[in-house]
Amino acid sequence: MNELMRSMPSPTLPGLRLPPGPHAHRGWLFKWTNYLKGYQRRWFVLSSDGLLSYYRTQAEMAHTCRGTIPMATAHIEVGDTCHLVVTSGGRSYHLKSTSDAECQRWASALQQAKASGSQMMQHSDDSGDEGPPALDGRALTAGVLKTLASKLDDLSTCNELIGKHGAALQRSLSELEDPRGATDGTDRLKAVNERATLFRITSNAAINACRDFLDVAETHSRRWQRALQYEREQRHHLEETLEQLAKQHNSLERAWREKPHTAGVERTPEGEASDENEEAEFFDAMEDTPAFITVTASNHTQHKRSTSNQSMMSGGRPNDWTHNEDCIKCVCKDSSGPNLMQQRRARRSRIPDKPNYSLNLWSIMKNCIGKELSKIPMPVNFNEPLSMLQRLTEDLEYSELLDRAARCDSTLEQMCLVAAFSVSSYSTTVHRTAKPFNPLLGETYELDRLDEYGYRSVSEQVSHHPPAAAHHVSSERGWTLWQDIAIDSKFRGKYISVMPLGCIHLEFHSSGHHYVWSKVTSTVHNIIVGKLWIDQSGDIEIVNTSTKDSCHLKFSPYSYFSRDAPRKVTGVVQDQEGSAHYILSGTWDDKMESAKIVDSSPGGGGSEGKQKTVYQTLPAKLLWKKYPLPDNAENMHFFSSLALTLNEPEDGVAPTDSRLRPDQQLMEAGLWDEANIQKQRLEERQRLERKKREAQASEALEDGQDIEGYHPQWFEKRTNEATGERTYVYRGGYWEAKERQDWTQCPEIF
C-alpha cells in the first residue's frame, strides 16, 4: 500500500492561492460593500502579473486575501468624482479614491495591467488565435464539446474500474486476515499484490484522464474568455456610438425647432395642433386618489406611436414647448433673452474643499432620542455652511419654470409648471444629508438676482421656538411667491424626520391666479450605522384658489422590495369639476414630465379596493430637468451652482444677513474648530436674550401691562383670505432701507 501511495502524483489543490508577483501599484482605495456599510477602506495591490488583490489592512497581505480580480479580462470605467468601476467575471467592483490625481494613477496602472495581461494570454494560448473566433466557431465549439465528452467517458470508465478493483482488493485483504482460510497464505498474498497492482494502474489512468480533461478545458477556456471580452468591448463601443448619434440627432432636431426657416419649412400653430391630436399614446401606469391604470395602444395608433417613441428615444420631444433638454433654461419669447446672458454678473463657482474631520455622531445623539432636532446641541461637523434661510432661498434654483408659467394662457398647463417647480425644490437635497445652521432670531437673508433672473428675495427668522422663517420673492417676470415655514423635526434613533409646517403661496400678476401648497416630509436614514441617505415622502396638494383647479402629487417612499424607480413622483392635474386633464410623472432628483389626457375609461379594481381608471394620453412633454452638479461638488458639500453663490459677499446687505455669521464663514473656510467656538458663543448669547425677554414679560404681567411678544423686522402676521390662516407676510421696506443704507432698526445678533 505504501508503494501504491508513493506511485500516485500529488495534484495541486484547487483552493490554494499563490502569492502575487512583484507589485506594480499599491495604495488605499474605498470599496463599495453594501447599503448598510457603504464604502469601506481597503488596501489594494496590483501585481505585475495582472492581478488586483485587496486586503482589509496591509498586515493581512501575509496571510489573508479578501479577493483577487484578474485584469486581463476586466473592463475598466472611469466615472466622475474619483470613481472607478472594474467589471470582471460578471461582477462589478465600485472603487473610489481620495483625489482625482490618485484616481488617474490607478486608472493608468489598471489599463496597463489589462493590456499586459491580455498580451500574456494571447502568447500563452497554443492555438495562436489573437482575434475573435473565426467563422467556423460553431464547429470548433462542437469539436471541443465532443472531446470533453470523450474525456468524461474515460473518467466514467476509470471510476467503474476503480470501484471494481477496489472491491476485489478489499475482499483479498479480508481473506488475508481470516485465519480460517483453506488456501495457502502465499497464494492469498499473491492475490492481494495482483489486485493492488490493478487498483494502482486504474488510479493512475483516472488521474491522467483528469489531467487531459483539465488541459482541454483550460486551453479552450482562454479562447472563450478572449472571445467574450472582445464581444463585451464591441458592445460597449456600439453603445457609445449610438449615444453619440442620439445626441447629434437631438441637437439637429432642437436646431430645427428653434430656427425652422433654415430648413425651408414653417410650422403653423394649426399644424402643431393637428399633430398633437393624431399622435396619441398610452401613458405608463400610475396611481392616485382615484387610482388609474393604462393599457397598450390600439392598432390604428401603433405606427404613430413608433414614430413618436423613436423621436423621444433619440432626444426629440414631439411637442410645441421649446426647451433644451440638456439645459432646461427655456428659450424666452421676448427680445431681452439674448442680452440677458451678457448682463449677468460673474458669480463664484467653487468654495474651499470640505475638511475630512471624523466625529462619532452616536456619542452625541444617543441621549437625545425623541427630542426636537433644533434643541440638540450639534457641532458644525454635521452642518453645511448654509443657514435654513438660505436653504429656503434655494427653492428658486429653477425660477424659470415660474417665468414660463406666467406666460401660459392655459390654467391647466400653468398648473403643470407650478407642480414641476414644487418638485424641483427637492432636487438639491439628494446628496445633502448635512444639517443647515439654525438661524438666530431676527437673522435675515437677501438674494438679489434682479438683473440676472428678474427676481429678488428676502427672508427672516421670525420665531426661534418653534423655529419658523418667512420668505418673500418678487419677480419682474410676472409672479410673487411667499411662504411661512415652521420646522418640526424629531430624532428617532435610526433616522431623523423633518416635517415642514406651513404653506407656500404663489400669485401671477397678469391673471391673478393664486396657488397654495405645502411641503413633504424629509427623512435622513442610517444615523447610527451605514451611509447617510435622504428620502422625501408624502403628498402635495396644489390648489388654484382662483379657478379651483388642483394637482395631487405623490412622493413614493423608498422601498428595497419595490420595483418602482427610486424617488418616484406621480401626479394628476384636475379641473374644478374633478376631471383629469394631465398626468405627471418623474423623480424628485432628476426630471418631471406631463402627458395630456385625451380619453379615459373605467378599469378593474386596484389595491385596497380602489377603482382604477384607464387614461389614454398624448406623448409626454419634459417640464423640468435637473442641472448637473459643478465639478468637484462632492468636496464642496454637494452644493449646486446656486448654492455656491449664496455665501458670496454682497455690498450693502443688512447686518443681520446670514452671509455675515462668523461661525458659518469660518466653517466654509475649513476652520471648523474656530467655527465651533463661535457657534457656542452665538447660541449662548441667544439664550441670554431669550431669558431677558421672558423676564421682561414676567414683569409686565405682574404690573398688569399688556405683554408684547417678539415682532419681526420685515414681516407681520396677517389673515390669509384664501386659506383663512394667520401667516407671516412681507410688510415691505427692506429694499428701500438697503437703498438708503439705513439699518438702524436692525438688532445686533452676531
Side-chain angles (χ1 to χ4, degrees):
M1 294 299 292
N2 293 335
E3 181 183 357
L4 175 63
M5 296 300 295
R6 286 194 298 269
S7 64
M8 296 179 63
S10 57
T12 302
L13 295 177
L16 181 63
R17 185 183 300 277
L18 298 177
H23 303 145
H25 197 73
R26 61 170 67 188
W28 290 104
L29 288 173
F30 290 88
K31 175 181 172 292
W32 174 262
T33 55
N34 52 50
Y35 283 100
L36 182 63
K37 296 182 179 180
Y39 281 95
Q40 296 293 317
R41 195 165 178 252
R42 296 289 183 262
W43 178 255
F44 279 79
V45 176
L46 178 62
S47 59
S48 59
D49 54 1
L51 292 179
L52 179 64
S53 305
Y54 59 93
Y55 311 83
R56 183 167 293 178
T57 61
Q58 299 183 46
E60 278 192 349
M61 292 180 61
H63 54 84
T64 304
C65 180
R66 298 288 170 177
T68 300
I69 308 170
M71 298 309 301
T73 58
H75 179 67
I76 305 166
E77 293 183 12
V78 181
D80 54 356
T81 65
C82 309
H83 280 74
L84 287 168
V85 180
V86 180
T87 304
S88 178
R91 181 179 177 184
S92 296
Y93 299 82
H94 294 264
L95 311 176
K96 184 170 67 172
S97 63
T98 56
S99 65
D100 289 333
E102 183 66 12
C103 180
Q104 291 299 324
R105 285 193 291 269
W106 272 105
S108 301
L110 294 177
Q111 292 287 2
Q112 186 176 359
K114 176 185 176 181
S116 301
S118 301
Q119 187 176 7
M120 290 174 62
M121 285 182 59
Q122 293 172 1
H123 287 309
S124 63
D125 187 11
D126 295 336
S127 63
D129 294 336
E130 297 190 7
L135 295 177
D136 59 343
R138 293 184 179 179
L140 179 62
T141 302
V144 173
L145 294 177
K146 184 177 180 181
T147 303
L148 291 175
S150 174
K151 298 298 181 183
L152 191 60
D153 290 339
D154 294 342
L155 286 174
S156 300
T157 303
C158 291
N159 182 49
E160 294 176 359
L161 290 174
I162 286 176
K164 177 180 178 181
H165 293 309
L169 178 60
Q170 185 66 35
R171 287 196 302 271
S172 298
L173 291 174
S174 300
E175 293 173 358
L176 183 62
E177 295 174 355
D178 189 1
R180 296 174 297 175
T183 57
D184 184 58
T186 304
D187 295 336
R188 285 184 288 180
L189 185 60
K190 182 179 180 181
V192 169
N193 290 332
E194 290 176 353
R195 292 175 178 176
T197 302
L198 290 174
F199 184 82
R200 182 182 62 190
I201 294 172
T202 308
S203 300
N204 289 335
I207 293 172
N208 291 331
C210 290
R211 287 174 177 169
D212 293 341
F213 184 89
L214 184 61
D215 290 342
V216 174
E218 287 182 345
T219 300
H220 294 282
S221 174
R222 289 192 295 269
R223 179 193 300 273
W224 290 333
Q225 285 179 355
R226 283 202 320 278
L228 180 61
Q229 180 64 24
Y230 176 81
E231 294 297 333
R232 286 175 176 170
E233 292 176 353
Q234 290 298 313
R235 184 183 68 178
H236 183 68
H237 177 70
L238 181 61
E239 290 175 351
E240 291 180 345
T241 304
L242 289 175
E243 183 178 359
Q244 293 296 328
L245 289 175
K247 290 181 179 179
Q248 293 174 9
H249 181 89
N250 187 20
S251 301
L252 290 173
E253 186 166 352
R254 284 201 308 270
W256 178 83
R257 291 183 183 280
E258 295 173 4
K259 295 182 179 180
H261 59 274
T262 59
V265 180
E266 190 116 2
R267 297 182 66 192
T268 62
E270 292 79 4
E272 291 178 355
S274 62
D275 291 343
E276 187 179 61
N277 291 332
E278 290 178 1
E279 295 183 359
E281 72 172 21
F282 290 80
F283 203 70
D284 294 337
M286 294 181 294
E287 290 198 15
D288 191 57
T289 304
F292 49 90
I293 59 175
T294 57
V295 296
T296 56
S298 55
N299 293 331
H300 71 277
T301 60
Q302 287 295 331
H303 176 70
K304 287 289 184 182
R305 287 189 63 227
S306 62
T307 305
S308 173
N309 289 342
Q310 289 174 5
S311 176
M312 292 179 70
M313 288 175 63
S314 63
R317 295 282 169 178
N319 57 60
D320 55 351
W321 289 357
T322 303
H323 59 271
N324 187 332
E325 189 172 359
D326 297 329
C327 180
I328 200 65
K329 296 257 182 204
C330 71
V331 179
C332 298
K333 303 295 184 182
D334 53 37
S335 60
S336 62
N339 297 327
L340 191 61
M341 296 296 293
Q342 300 176 2
Q343 298 174 357
R344 291 181 181 175
R345 165 186 167 183
R347 302 283 178 179
R348 68 179 186 180
S349 58
R350 66 170 294 109
I351 59 176
D353 287 356
K354 174 184 176 182
N356 187 17
Y357 287 149
S358 60
L359 193 63
N360 189 354
L361 177 63
W362 180 241
S363 64
I364 297 173
M365 304 188 68
K366 62 183 178 181
N367 297 321
C368 303
I369 296 177
K371 292 184 179 180
E372 187 179 336
L373 191 60
S374 62
K375 296 183 179 180
I376 301 176
M378 298 283 288
V380 300
N381 302 55
F382 302 109
N383 284 39
E384 62 178 13
L386 291 178
S387 72
M388 181 58 71
L389 299 178
Q390 292 167 305
R391 288 294 293 267
L392 281 180
T393 308
E394 277 193 79
D395 289 357
L396 304 173
E397 177 95 24
Y398 300 94
S399 62
E400 70 273 4
L401 291 172
L402 301 184
D403 299 341
R404 290 168 54 189
R407 299 193 301 269
C408 276
D409 296 329
S410 168
T411 59
L412 295 173
E413 288 185 3
Q414 189 178 73
M415 175 67 81
C416 292
L417 289 166
V418 173
F421 174 79
S422 68
V423 175
S424 69
S425 62
Y426 299 97
S427 64
T428 60
T429 66
V430 62
H431 300 295
R432 304 268 290 278
T433 56
K435 176 180 174 292
F437 280 79
N438 290 330
L440 304 176
L441 187 62
E443 186 174 332
T444 61
Y445 182 74
E446 70 158 72
L447 187 67
D448 190 346
R449 294 291 190 268
L450 206 59
D451 296 335
E452 297 150 301
Y453 300 106
Y455 70 81
R456 53 186 182 181
S457 159
V458 61
S459 55
E460 181 180 3
Q461 187 76 357
V462 296
S463 174
H464 186 61
H465 284 299
H471 183 208
H472 180 86
V473 189
S474 179
S475 173
E476 292 183 342
R477 299 182 183 177
W479 53 270
T480 299
L481 181 144
W482 67 96
Q483 55 183 323
D484 172 10
I485 299 296
I487 302 296
D488 183 15
S489 53
K490 296 293 184 181
F491 174 50
R492 308 292 186 181
K494 292 184 179 180
Y495 61 91
I496 293 175
S497 295
V498 180
M499 292 78 70
L501 308 176
C503 293
I504 304 172
H505 298 262
L506 172 66
E507 185 174 322
F508 292 102
H509 301 165
S510 59
S511 63
H513 291 165
H514 183 184
Y515 293 85
V516 182
W517 70 93
S518 58
K519 289 180 173 286
V520 296
T521 299
S522 302
T523 306
V524 181
H525 296 269
N526 289 350
I527 297 299
I528 298 178
V529 63
K531 183 180 180 181
L532 292 175
W533 61 279
I534 194 168
D535 194 23
Q536 315 287 347
S537 60
D539 296 340
I540 292 180
E541 190 75 24
I542 306 175
V543 178
N544 184 340
T545 60
S546 305
T547 63
K548 305 305 178 184
D549 297 339
S550 64
C551 175
H552 182 83
L553 293 173
K554 179 179 178 59
F555 287 64
S556 301
Y558 175 79
S559 174
Y560 181 79
F561 303 100
S562 175
R563 296 183 179 180
D564 293 334
R567 311 179 184 96
K568 181 180 178 182
V569 181
T570 56
V572 58
V573 175
Q574 299 175 324
D575 60 19
Q576 58 182 345
E577 305 296 333
S579 300
H581 290 267
Y582 285 91
I583 299 298
L584 305 181
S585 66
T587 57
W588 55 262
D589 68 323
D590 185 23
K591 65 180 180 179
M592 286 296 293
E593 295 179 334
S594 70
K596 187 175 182 179
I597 298 172
V598 295
D599 192 18
S600 63
S601 59
S607 59
E608 301 178 0
K610 293 181 179 179
Q611 181 72 23
K612 286 181 176 284
T613 304
V614 178
Y615 288 125
Q616 181 183 352
T617 70
L618 296 176
K621 299 177 181 179
L622 181 68
L623 296 174
W624 158 76
K625 186 170 179 60
K626 180 185 176 182
Y627 301 146
L629 288 175
D631 295 337
N632 197 39
E634 71 282 357
N635 294 321
M636 299 186 295
H637 309 274
F638 285 101
F639 280 178
S640 64
S641 298
L642 174 62
L644 289 174
T645 67
L646 294 183
N647 274 330
E648 191 173 12
E650 294 280 352
D651 295 332
V653 299
T656 54
D657 196 272
S658 298
R659 296 178 180 86
L660 306 178
R661 284 190 63 151
D663 52 352
Q664 195 168 291
Q665 288 180 337
L666 289 168
M667 183 192 177
E668 185 183 272
L671 305 174
W672 286 13
D673 293 335
E674 294 84 347
N676 276 315
I677 296 174
Q678 289 294 328
K679 184 173 183 291
Q680 292 176 6
R681 180 184 66 83
L682 293 175
E683 290 175 348
E684 182 61 29
R685 178 174 181 175
Q686 184 170 238
R687 282 191 288 269
L688 293 176
E689 289 292 332
R690 182 182 181 186
K691 290 179 180 179
K692 182 179 179 180
R693 287 193 301 270
E694 291 175 349
Q696 292 175 351
S698 299
E699 292 178 2
L701 184 62
E702 292 176 357
D703 296 341
Q705 301 176 359
D706 294 336
I707 302 175
E708 293 187 4
Y710 175 80
H711 294 290
Q713 186 65 41
W714 310 108
F715 290 82
E716 63 183 4
K717 268 197 171 182
R718 298 177 189 169
T719 302
N720 185 272
E721 297 179 358
T723 62
E725 298 177 350
R726 288 184 58 81
T727 59
Y728 283 97
V729 180
Y730 179 59
R731 72 169 68 180
Y734 179 88
W735 302 106
E736 293 78 6
K738 181 181 180 181
E739 186 176 354
R740 299 190 309 267
Q741 282 299 294
D742 179 13
W743 303 115
T744 55
Q745 69 274 36
C746 293
E748 184 180 350
I749 60 175
F750 298 143

